[in-house]
Amino acid sequence: MAEIKPFRGMRFDVEKAGELVELCCPPYDIISEEQRKQYIAQNQYNVIRLELPKEGDDVYARAGEVLDMWRDKGILIHEDKPAIYIYEMEFNAYNKRDCVKGIIARVKVEEFSKGVILPHEFTLSKAKADRFNLMKATNCNFSQIYALYMDSEHTTLRTIDAESEADAAYQFTDDDNITHRLWIVTDKAVIDKLVSDFADRKLYIADGHHRYETALNYRNYCREQGISKEGDAQDYQMMYLVDMEHPGLVVFPTHRLVRDLDNFDKNNVLAGCEEYFEIKKYNSVGNMYSILTEQYKLGKKAFSFYCGKGEWYLLTLKDLSVMSEVLPDVSEASQQLDVSVLHSLILEKTMGIDKENMANQINLTYTKFFEEAIVGVDKGEFQCSFILNPTRVTEIRDVAAAGEKMPQKSTYFYPKMITGMVMNDIGVD
């Protein structure tokens, strides 16, 4: 099953490079160009220059040159001996302060067909091409793939908690009030115990599908080019592994906003929904969150259909069995997802937005921000929006275990891991 191993992580020498808070950055795919420039202006050694290169005619080659320069100058250094890293994020979500903790290790990548590492969402080819070109130029992972594992006895988490009782080796709080902590575990007995824990486990990708598929492509490329052979370092990629039942695991919903749809009429949408949904009208968004949360706790499939200026409709599915008729070729786990219900019965059947349209975002925009889904409609930038409840972690597991994938933008694991605390230089054992 899952094979993990320690590695000599590459880290910033903070005495030469500066404060870690100025050297790290959020994931590359949520950073605007203005933010990217701000990070570099604050500190020229910010990891964004490696993770999201924009310099020179060949941005990937330039990233490789910058990486070589920083290693030569001692800006980036490697652990003296192999380690597994404990990483914790403390954050605010749903009106409380919480934290999630896991380990960062090298993990042997396997084809999805082997059933060892399982995806849960579809991906976009453009992002994979970008990450592949960066890996070819640098032979590094600057950020981790996020994966979950099942451990009913929480044996690994107990080990992690015991090893992180002391103060963290590195800690800082970012602009989003997320505190990041890193412990470096080099004790061989502890490492051997953690490695053995995963010998009979599967991993479920939570975030980083593009990076994982890129890792597979890069491994195959290196073998084809004679750069590596089976068992070499290119077979392993850096991943963040978290107990699927960790009490701090948070998944946000991703809301749908509709734009530029020909002949859009809210009354036609409501008429189309009557066959499958109970419909209740509200005139203020102040109670929307609590009403949706109540439906979520009851196990109902419910959405808010927001039309602007406070007007919204609670759409609650009458009978879940209809989904086996609408989606007969997928598992029960996929049929019963909130996003499956919304996409098949409302977006496709009622509004005529088909799967290709959704994938290419012709008439859809996605956001995790409730306010954006409301204000965008109020301003007339969007015709309507659908506010969703979050996907349950158990649903993610069940869809992945069935060998299927959710629609894009079905989940948003929060918080996102910071980039730059520890990196994987694949050429260093």
Side-chain angles (χ1 to χ4, degrees):
M1 299 296 270
E3 181 182 334
I4 77 167
K5 63 192 299 187
F7 66 109
R8 291 176 56 209
M10 181 170 67
R11 296 184 289 104
F12 282 104
D13 183 338
V14 293
E15 293 186 2
K16 292 183 179 180
E19 297 288 337
L20 201 54
V21 68
E22 298 179 355
L23 301 169
C24 295
C25 70
Y28 75 97
D29 53 356
I30 62 172
I31 294 176
S32 68
E33 177 60 14
E34 181 181 356
Q35 289 172 320
R36 189 190 71 84
K37 291 178 179 178
Q38 289 173 351
Y39 287 126
I40 296 173
Q42 186 177 37
N43 191 311
Q44 64 173 321
Y45 298 121
N46 190 284
V47 71
I48 196 66
R49 292 183 65 191
L50 304 176
E51 177 73 337
L52 187 62
K54 298 283 187 178
E55 304 170 29
D57 294 331
D58 185 335
V59 296
Y60 305 109
R62 179 56 182 159
E65 293 169 0
V66 171
L67 174 62
D68 289 339
M69 179 176 63
W70 288 1
R71 284 186 296 211
D72 291 343
K73 292 174 63 175
I75 299 300
L76 293 173
I77 56 176
H78 297 92
E79 219 66 67
D80 292 335
K81 53 185 176 179
I84 285 179
Y85 300 83
I86 298 173
Y87 175 43
E88 180 182 62
M89 294 178 283
E90 182 182 331
F91 57 94
N92 294 321
Y94 297 118
N95 300 315
K96 67 174 183 175
R97 191 75 175 166
D98 219 329
C99 64
V100 63
K101 186 189 297 183
I103 60 171
I104 297 173
R106 278 182 177 171
V107 179
K108 186 177 182 180
V109 297
E110 304 277 9
E111 288 78 5
F112 293 140
S113 60
K114 292 187 177 180
V116 176
I117 299 175
L118 301 170
H120 81 267
E121 277 190 354
F122 285 99
T123 56
L124 300 171
S125 58
K126 182 178 179 181
K128 286 182 283 189
D130 167 63
R131 295 297 93 184
F132 179 69
N133 288 329
L134 184 61
M135 284 197 72
K136 282 202 299 183
T138 64
N139 198 37
C140 283
N141 309 137
F142 303 115
S143 55
Q144 300 87 19
I145 297 160
Y146 190 166
L148 308 175
Y149 61 87
M150 293 179 64
D151 178 13
S152 59
E153 301 299 321
H154 310 299
T155 54
T156 298
L157 190 54
R158 284 199 295 272
T159 301
I160 292 171
D161 285 340
E163 291 300 311
S164 57
E165 287 180 352
D167 290 342
Y170 296 94
Q171 173 178 323
F172 69 90
T173 301
D174 65 23
D175 292 340
D176 293 321
N177 198 27
I178 302 169
T179 299
H180 305 269
R181 300 185 181 96
L182 190 75
W183 291 263
I184 304 168
V185 179
T186 56
D187 185 298
K188 189 176 185 304
V190 176
I191 290 174
D192 288 346
K193 192 270 180 187
L194 291 172
V195 169
S196 66
D197 282 353
F198 285 84
D200 60 352
R201 289 179 185 161
K202 296 181 178 182
L203 300 178
Y204 302 83
I205 298 177
D207 199 4
H209 289 79
H210 296 108
R211 289 190 291 275
Y212 187 81
E213 292 186 29
T214 299
L216 285 170
N217 292 337
Y218 183 65
R219 179 205 66 181
N220 295 340
Y221 165 81
C222 288
R223 289 182 183 178
E224 292 165 2
Q225 298 298 314
I227 298 170
S228 69
K229 61 183 183 303
E230 185 173 354
D232 284 354
Q234 283 79 3
D235 284 11
Y236 297 82
Q237 300 292 310
M238 182 172 61
M239 297 180 71
Y240 179 48
L241 309 175
V242 174
D243 190 322
M244 189 174 287
E245 296 180 1
H246 194 291
L249 203 58
V250 170
V251 182
F252 285 160
T254 303
H255 312 301
R256 273 69 173 153
L257 298 95
V258 178
R259 67 180 191 279
D260 305 326
L261 192 64
D262 292 339
N263 303 315
F264 170 78
D265 186 308
K266 72 175 182 183
N267 294 319
N268 289 340
V269 176
L270 291 169
C273 289
E274 284 180 350
E275 179 180 355
Y276 303 108
F277 296 88
E278 295 175 358
I279 303 173
K280 186 173 182 180
K281 182 180 179 181
Y282 294 87
N283 292 310
S284 171
V285 298
N287 58 355
M288 185 189 294
Y289 176 77
S290 61
I291 290 172
L292 282 175
T293 299
E294 180 182 359
Q295 297 298 306
Y296 181 78
K297 291 178 179 177
L298 292 171
K300 301 285 189 179
K301 304 300 174 184
F303 318 98
S304 162
F305 171 46
Y306 184 67
C307 304
K309 302 190 184 308
E311 179 185 346
W312 67 280
Y313 298 82
L314 178 66
L315 308 178
T316 306
L317 187 65
K318 295 176 182 177
D319 186 355
L320 189 57
S321 65
V322 69
M323 293 304 296
S324 61
E325 302 172 16
V326 176
L327 298 175
D329 298 326
V330 300
S331 69
E332 184 177 324
S334 289
Q335 292 170 0
Q336 296 186 0
L337 292 170
D338 283 28
V339 290
S340 296
V341 174
L342 174 65
H343 284 197
S344 59
L345 295 182
I346 300 178
L347 297 183
E348 288 190 65
K349 191 175 182 66
T350 301
M351 303 180 76
I353 303 174
D354 61 24
K355 291 181 175 62
E356 183 177 354
N357 185 313
M358 294 181 208
N360 293 318
Q361 301 182 36
I362 296 171
N363 293 112
L364 281 188
T365 295
Y366 302 92
T367 180
K368 70 178 186 296
F369 298 110
F370 173 82
E371 294 80 4
E372 188 173 318
I374 300 300
V375 174
V377 178
D378 288 343
K379 288 184 175 180
E381 297 170 357
F382 299 92
Q383 294 160 310
C384 67
S385 61
F386 291 92
I387 314 300
L388 285 75
N389 278 315
T391 302
R392 302 175 193 272
V393 175
T394 51
E395 292 176 319
I396 297 168
R397 176 200 64 200
D398 293 344
V399 170
E404 296 170 344
K405 297 179 183 179
M406 297 180 183
Q408 296 160 17
K409 308 293 184 181
S410 294
T411 59
Y412 189 97
F413 281 84
Y414 184 83
K416 297 291 186 180
M417 297 168 291
I418 203 76
T419 299
M421 285 197 87
V422 62
M423 294 157 274
N424 178 29
D425 191 341
I426 295 172
V428 175
D429 290 328

